[in-house]
Each structure stands twice: as structure tokens, then as C-alpha cells.
């Protein structure tokens, strides 16, 4: 696979469609809204959009409960609207990645309705049905990721079905070849239409322990954590057989040219990289969420980057994610000043970057009053701060009512600062985080060292993380101050001249005369090095 492949060089931008742009006034974003905003994405400079699920769904988990894999939910529009998004994106050189949700369907999917209709229905085995435990009660101790037991009793047929998420999201039985074929056909449906790839939801969950053994207790569990953490997920996910399923899925994509398979996987690094598959037969990009999960200081992040670079399989292409619709926004987690450093980190590391809509505006966290809560997880396990709504609020386009997101009532509240924090205002302010993102993206596009160059760690220390990216004769030094105090670092040995190309806090570019680089508090720099 040459390093010119679009998904290696490109930048992925995640759109949460409910919150991007509404055009019909129902307060929920739609496909026509995405079409209208493609010019913005082109201006920003990203290469691909990943759209969270837009398929028909009862919306128990806002689209992650699919009732038809080959259609568009009327909330979002029609298949024609989708084809227009695809065509208009492609005409702007933007790729389109869909969200494939293979682990579970909606409980309203016709397959599940058939499956639960009787024990002898031909689709009974398409889902995971079990008798009660010998003494009665649930078949084992597996917990739903949204709290409570992962088994739901079906009175009519006298068995339990398994759901790793909501009870409205029954898990498919991926050990059944008919399920695989039906799901692969739904991939082909979209691939034939021209989509450029898939982000695959909870791909490490697809296969469960054949014997459904109990998960062992987690000795580190604390009561303020989500209930799923009570047990170590040893038997309910990440089973060795999953890699065969993923390789088969990858083969479906290989029937078409130049498509990408991205896997959603929350696992520690050494287990994550197994998802590249034997001889790279698995996901092209097993999503790497470590930047979201690692303590934000120079030492830990440096250690993480070096470890990740160290465990990647030969030829495995790295990737980095800074935010998504399931996690607190980076701006809320580390503050606005460090979020700019994070932007520079994301867009200068080796590997495909994935951005989350609104992070380029420095959006943080929107307080959701109890009566406005939408997220089923927050409703199931209230008060633990697990709710995902604060990171899913409407995109802020301008200073007009509802930030230009909707002419109606938005499905989630707007951030209170939307009149100053929006695309229209920030795009006019060259010092804004939005303009920083745009410059970083532009630099990454113009300098191959940043997109496909080598990564080389550089000794720094203190609250500074530094590294070089090199391609051919080009050497770029990235220096990131994770601290709130000024710092100075020495230029690498043998460097004669250096020119700062971009700072996260100062404007312009400048030459560095002496051998020492000064860093302002919370500052990141990209520096072109010349030997001499
Ligand atoms: C992961 C998705 O990103 C999340 O939003 C969803 O709730 C679960 N998978 C279940 O599909």
C-alpha cells in the first residue's frame, strides 16, 4: 500500500449528523445540512468525513440501533440526499466514511422480530439466545456497557437474549455464517454507491466466548465508575476468533478500490495493534484513543507516542484520535490553552488524525439541565458524569439564533458562548483556534514530513515534549509546552539555522538566531531545521 493512499495522508473529520446542520427545522441535523456545509470543510482543509449512523433507527441510542442497514432514516433525509452528499463531497475531493454498526441491531430490526418470534424461527440463531442459569436467572454475569445485566428475558419464548449495550440493541451472532453474509451484503450496498470506507462500531465485541464463561471481578473497580467496570471483560469481547471475521470484512472492502476499514477499539496498546490483523489482513486503522485516555502531561504523552511507535506491526499505519461523540471534549478535559497544543500534537504526529466536529472551535462542555438529558447511558446510570450529551451539542456556525444550526428548537442546548465562539466570528480572527487548525492542516498538506515523514523522538524534559518529523532533506522540529510557564530548549546538535513556521499562540513566522528556542506558556511550535 503506497504512502500516497488517501487515508494515510489525509485528515478525517467526524460529523455527528444530529448536531451538524439542520435544514428542515426539526431541531436535528440532516443530510441536506451536511451538503450545505461542505464548503466549510473544504475551507478547513480536511480530506474525509466520517458520518455517525444515518440509517433507519428507532434512535434508542441515536442511530447506533439500526433497523435497516440499507436505507436512510427520514430524520436525516433520503437516499437521494445521501447520494447528493456523496457526489458533492467527491467533487470537492472529500472522501465519505460511513459508520457500520455490526455488533448489534435495533430490537425493531425485522431480523430480530423474526428471531424472537419463536425458538424454531430460521433467524433464531442470528442473535444470542440462552436458557436461564441452572438455578434460574441470567445465564452469566456479563454486564451491559450502559449498566445493568446484559441479558434480557423474553417471556414468549422462555430464553434470554444478550445485549452488550441497551436492551433495544440485541447482539448479532457473528458465529453464524448467514449473519456474516447478510452484513457483508449491506457493506456492498454502500460500497457500490461509492462510499470510501467504514468506521466499524465496537469491532472488538463481535465474537464472544463460545462457552459464555463468567467474567472475573475487577479488583480495581470503584463505585463511582460505570457498572461495566465491575468485571474485567475477558470473555465478552476481544476473542481470538474475531480476527477471522475482521479479515473477511476487509476482503469485502478489497472487492472495491481504495476503501478504508477503521475499527473502533478501546483496548490497551499491545492488544489494540493485534487488530491490524495477521499480515495486515485486519483493519487499516484500528482507532487509537490513547490521547483521550492518557494523563495530559509531557512525560506521559511522550511515553505513549514512543510506545505506540514501538508496538506497531511492520507496515501498520498509525492513527490518532483527539475526540469523538462518546468522550468529553478535549477542550473540557485540558482547557482551552492546552487544547491548542493538542491540536498541534494531533496534526504533527505520524499517522492519520481524526478530528471531532466543533473541537476546531474550541468547544468545551455544555451543561445539560436534567430535563434536557437525551443520552440513554446518562438515564441508565445517572449522576456518575457518564452522559455524552455535553460533547454532542449543536455546531456553532454564526451569531444568529441557535448559532445558525436550526431554524427550530435544537435537540440539545447550544453552548452559552456561541455568539462569540462560532465559525463566522473565529474565521475572521487570525489568532483563533479555528485559524490555528486551518493553518496546521495546511502545513500538514504542504509538508510531506508532517504527513508521511519519519518520527524521531528528541530529548527535552520538564513539561516539554519534542520530536522531529523528517522526509527527504526536510526536517521539522515540533516542540510542545504542556506547562503553563515559559520554557527554553536547545536546538538539536548540528542545527545551524531554524525558522519557526507556526506557533499556537504567537502570530507570524520568525528565524531563531541563537541555539536556544524560547517557548511561551502553553505554546507549541513547528520549526524548520537546517544543518550548518
Ligand atoms: C460505540 C458508539 O460510538 C457509541 O456511541 C454507541 O453508544 C455504542 N458503540 C453502541 O453502539
Amino acid at each position: 500500500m503506497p504512502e500516497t493512499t488517501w487515508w494515510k495522508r489525509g485528515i478525517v473529520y467526524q460529523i455527528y449528523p444530529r448536531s451538524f446542520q439542520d435544514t428542515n427545522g426539526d431541531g436535528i441535523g440532516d443530510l441536506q445540512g451536511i451538503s450545505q456545509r461542505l464548503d466549510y470543510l473544504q475551507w478547513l482543509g480536511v480530506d474525509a468525513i466520517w458520518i455517525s449512523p444515518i440509517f433507519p433507527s428507532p434512535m434508542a441510542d441515536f442511530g447506533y440501533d439500526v433497523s435497516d442497514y440499507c436505507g436512510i432514516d427520514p430524520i436525516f433525509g433520503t437516499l437521494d440526499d445521501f447520494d447528493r452528499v456523496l457526489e458533492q463531497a467527491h467533487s470537492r475531493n472529500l472522501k465519505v466514511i460511513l459508520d457500520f454498526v455490526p455488533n448489534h441491531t435495533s430490537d425493531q430490526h425485522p431480523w430480530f422480530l423474526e428471531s424472537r418470534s419463536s425458538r424454531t424461527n430460521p433467524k433464531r440463531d442470528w442473535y444470542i439466545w440462552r436458557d436461564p442459569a441452572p438455578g434460574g436467572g441470567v445465564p452469566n454475569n456479563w454486564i451491559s456497557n450502559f449498566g445493568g445485566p446484559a441479558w434480557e428475558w423474553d417471556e414468549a419464548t422462555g430464553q434470554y437474549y444478550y445485549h452488550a449495550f441497551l436492551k433495544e440493541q440485541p447482539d448479532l451472532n457473528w458465529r453464524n455464517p448467514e449473519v456474516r453474509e447478510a452484513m457483508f451484503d449491506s457493506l456492498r450496498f454502500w460500497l457500490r454507491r461509492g462510499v470510501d470506507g467504514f468506521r466499524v462500531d465496537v469491532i472488538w465485541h463481535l465474537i464472544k466466548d463460545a462457552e459464555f464463561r463468567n467474567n472475573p471481578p475487577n479488583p480495581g473497580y470503584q463505585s463511582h465508575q460505570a457498572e461495566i467496570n465491575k468485571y474485567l471483560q475477558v470473555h465478552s469481547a476481544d476473542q481470538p476468533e474475531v480476527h477471522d471475521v475482521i479479515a473477511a470484512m476487509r476482503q469485502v472492502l478489497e472487492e472495491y478500490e481504495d476503501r478504508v476499514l477503521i475499527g473502533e477499539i478501546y483496548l490497551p496498546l499491545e492488544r489494540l495493534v493485534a487488530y491490524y490483523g495477521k499480515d495486515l489482513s485486519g483493519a487499516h486503522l484500528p482507532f487509537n484513543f490513547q490521547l483521550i485516555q492518557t494523563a495530559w502531561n509531557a512525560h506521559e504523552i511522550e511515553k505513549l507516542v514512543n510506545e505506540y511507535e514501538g508496538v506497531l506491526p511492520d507496515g501498520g499505519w498509525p492513527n490518532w484520535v483527539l475526540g469523538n461523540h462518546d468522550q468529553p471534549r478535549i477542550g473540557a478535559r485540558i482547557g482551552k490553552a492546552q487544547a491548542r497544543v493538542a491540536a498541534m500534537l494531533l496534526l504533527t504526529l505520524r499517522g492519520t488524525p481524526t478530528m471531532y466536529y466543533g473541537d476546531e472551535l474550541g468547544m468545551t462542555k455544555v451543561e445539560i439541565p436534567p430535563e434536557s438529558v437525551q443520552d440513554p447511558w446518562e438515564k441508565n446510570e445517572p449522576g456518575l458524569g457518564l452522559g455524552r450529551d455535553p460533547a454532542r451539542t449543536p455546531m456553532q456556525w454564526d451569531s444568529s439564533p441557535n448559532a445558525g444550526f436550526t431554524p427550530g428548537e435544537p435537540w440539545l442546548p447550544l453552548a452559552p458562548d456561541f455568539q462569540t465562539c462560532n465559525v463566522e466570528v473565529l474565521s475572521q480572527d487570525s489568532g483563533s483556534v479555528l485559524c490555528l487548525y486551518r493553518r496546521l492542516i495546511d502545513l500538514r498538506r504542504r509538508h510531506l514530513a508532517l504527513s508521511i515523514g519519519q518520527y524521531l523522538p528528541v530529548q527535552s524534559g520538564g513539561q516539554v515534549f519534542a520530536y522531529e518529523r523528517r522526509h527527504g532533506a526536510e526536517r521539522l522540529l515540533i516542540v510542545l509546552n504542556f506547562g503553563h510557564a515559559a520554557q527554553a530548549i536547545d536546538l538539536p546538535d548540528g542545527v545551524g539555522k531554524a525558522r519557526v513556521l507556526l506557533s499556537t499562540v504567537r502570530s507570524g513566522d520568525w528565524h531563531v538566531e541563537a541555539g536556544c528556542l524560547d517557548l511561551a506558556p502553553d505554546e507549541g511550535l513547528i520549526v524548520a531545521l537546517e544543518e550548518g
Side-chain angles (χ1 to χ4, degrees):
M1 191 71 72
E3 292 193 338
T4 48
T5 311
W6 65 269
W7 53 264
K8 289 189 175 179
R9 286 206 193 183
I11 296 163
V12 180
Y13 182 99
Q14 181 189 355
I15 292 177
Y16 194 65
R18 294 181 73 85
S19 299
F20 202 56
Q21 176 66 62
D22 175 29
T23 58
N24 67 355
D26 64 359
I28 297 172
D30 46 46
L31 287 168
Q32 290 194 19
I34 295 178
S35 280
Q36 277 182 19
R37 296 301 185 180
L38 291 175
D39 285 343
Y40 164 71
L41 297 172
Q42 197 176 18
W43 171 85
L44 186 60
V46 297
D47 302 272
I49 52 175
W50 146 34
I51 311 175
S52 284
I54 47 179
F55 317 108
S57 163
M59 301 289 165
D61 190 20
F62 297 113
Y64 285 95
D65 47 323
V66 178
S67 55
D68 172 6
Y69 286 96
C70 301
I72 297 290
D73 194 282
I75 283 188
F76 298 120
T78 63
L79 263 176
D80 282 347
D81 293 330
F82 176 74
D83 287 341
R84 264 193 297 277
V85 168
L86 197 58
E87 193 213 301
Q88 292 170 353
H90 284 167
S91 72
R92 289 168 173 79
N93 278 326
L94 278 167
K95 305 284 185 183
V96 177
I97 298 168
L98 288 187
D99 206 317
F100 184 51
V101 189
N103 179 67
H104 42 267
T105 68
S106 160
D107 64 346
Q108 299 307 308
H109 195 295
W111 297 342
F112 187 69
L113 296 179
E114 278 192 53
S115 183
R116 82 182 309 173
S117 67
S118 85
R119 286 201 188 199
T120 53
N121 184 277
K123 291 212 168 52
R124 184 67 170 180
D125 183 54
W126 281 39
Y127 292 83
I128 297 172
W129 292 97
R130 283 287 170 285
D131 289 332
V138 290
N140 68 17
N141 69 359
W142 296 1
I143 303 274
S144 153
N145 281 270
F146 291 142
W151 296 98
E152 181 70 10
W153 176 245
D154 182 59
E155 193 60 54
T157 59
Q159 281 189 313
Y160 288 92
Y161 67 85
Y162 175 66
H163 56 93
F165 294 88
L166 299 174
K167 66 175 173 17
E168 292 84 359
Q169 294 168 297
D171 278 44
L172 281 164
N173 175 15
W174 273 82
R175 292 184 187 270
N176 182 324
E178 289 176 17
V179 168
R180 294 188 192 193
E181 276 321 307
M183 291 299 276
F184 291 165
D185 278 345
S186 66
L187 287 177
R188 292 188 184 100
F189 174 86
W190 296 106
L191 290 165
R192 276 199 304 272
R193 279 195 121 75
V195 309
D196 300 288
F198 297 94
R199 171 269 191 191
V200 183
D201 194 63
V202 294
I203 202 168
W204 85 109
H205 272 260
L206 293 184
I207 297 285
K208 298 78 166 113
D209 179 40
E211 295 165 39
F212 288 85
R213 283 169 286 185
N214 279 335
N215 279 325
N218 173 9
Y221 171 71
Q222 290 168 353
S223 59
H224 63 82
Q225 293 177 328
E227 198 187 350
I228 184 73
N229 297 300
K230 272 188 182 165
Y231 298 94
L232 300 170
Q233 306 299 303
V234 173
H235 298 300
S236 46
D238 193 27
Q239 300 301 295
E241 304 97 306
V242 77
H243 297 292
D244 295 338
V245 174
I246 298 172
M249 197 180 279
R250 166 76 178 271
Q251 280 311 307
V252 175
L253 271 79
E254 296 293 333
E255 294 167 15
Y256 303 79
E257 221 176 299
D258 232 10
R259 314 297 164 102
V260 70
L261 185 67
I262 304 177
E264 187 207 19
I265 302 149
Y266 283 92
L267 287 175
L269 283 183
E270 62 288 358
R271 280 157 67 201
L272 172 68
V273 293
Y275 284 75
Y276 284 98
K278 189 167 174 292
D279 303 324
L280 303 183
S281 60
H284 293 109
L285 303 175
F287 256 156
N288 165 11
F289 298 120
Q290 302 292 320
L291 287 178
I292 299 176
Q293 298 181 317
T294 303
W296 195 257
N297 64 65
H299 174 71
E300 288 300 321
I301 298 292
E302 176 172 27
K303 195 165 97 187
L304 157 66
V305 175
N306 292 333
E307 268 174 29
Y308 182 56
E309 284 281 347
V311 294
L312 282 170
D314 265 359
W317 189 252
N319 78 88
W320 298 95
V321 180
L322 207 52
N324 63 37
H325 62 293
D326 295 325
Q327 304 292 336
R329 284 188 182 273
I330 186 77
R333 189 160 84 84
I334 63 175
K336 290 208 174 206
Q338 280 297 312
R340 298 171 75 112
V341 173
M344 186 171 274
L345 175 70
L346 176 73
L347 291 160
T348 57
L349 280 174
R350 194 175 80 91
T352 307
T354 298
M355 299 168 51
Y356 182 49
Y357 89 94
D359 280 354
E360 76 273 26
L361 308 179
M363 285 173 69
T364 53
K365 150 186 185 182
V366 180
E367 293 300 337
I368 310 292
E371 66 281 7
S372 304
V373 167
Q374 302 284 338
D375 183 11
W377 194 7
E378 175 66 25
K379 290 181 181 170
N380 274 2
E381 294 190 85
L384 299 178
L386 301 170
R388 299 168 293 176
D389 295 334
R392 294 178 173 181
T393 59
M395 179 69 174
Q396 297 155 203
W397 295 105
D398 57 39
S399 308
S400 70
N402 295 326
F405 163 68
T406 177
E409 216 15 69
W411 77 289
L412 277 174
L414 265 297
D417 64 350
F418 80 80
Q419 274 167 338
T420 49
C421 177
N422 63 55
V423 170
E424 193 179 59
V425 168
L426 299 185
S427 62
Q428 305 299 315
D429 168 3
S430 61
S432 70
V433 61
L434 177 59
C435 289
L436 172 66
Y437 261 98
R438 186 162 177 252
R439 272 195 220 112
L440 282 164
I441 292 169
D442 178 56
L443 268 187
R444 189 174 175 101
R445 187 183 298 286
R446 287 192 287 113
H447 294 268
L448 287 181
L450 290 178
S451 54
I452 59 172
Q454 281 174 280
Y455 162 86
L456 294 134
V458 169
Q459 280 286 336
S460 42
Q463 272 308 314
V464 177
F465 173 30
Y467 48 96
E468 260 190 53
R469 301 294 313 280
R470 279 193 202 177
H471 183 76
E474 183 169 48
R475 290 177 65 183
L476 296 180
L477 173 70
I478 292 87
V479 196
L480 305 172
N481 185 357
F482 282 66
H484 309 308
Q487 303 268 344
I489 77 150
D490 293 333
L491 285 172
D493 289 344
V495 168
K497 283 190 277 178
R499 194 162 70 90
V500 175
L501 302 182
L502 184 61
S503 155
T504 56
V505 296
R506 288 182 265 179
S507 60
D509 52 353
W510 63 91
H511 284 280
V512 181
E513 304 298 345
C516 181
L517 260 185
D518 291 317
L519 279 170
D522 302 295
E523 183 173 43
L525 297 175
I526 301 178
V527 187
L529 303 179
E530 284 174 36
E531 278 158 42

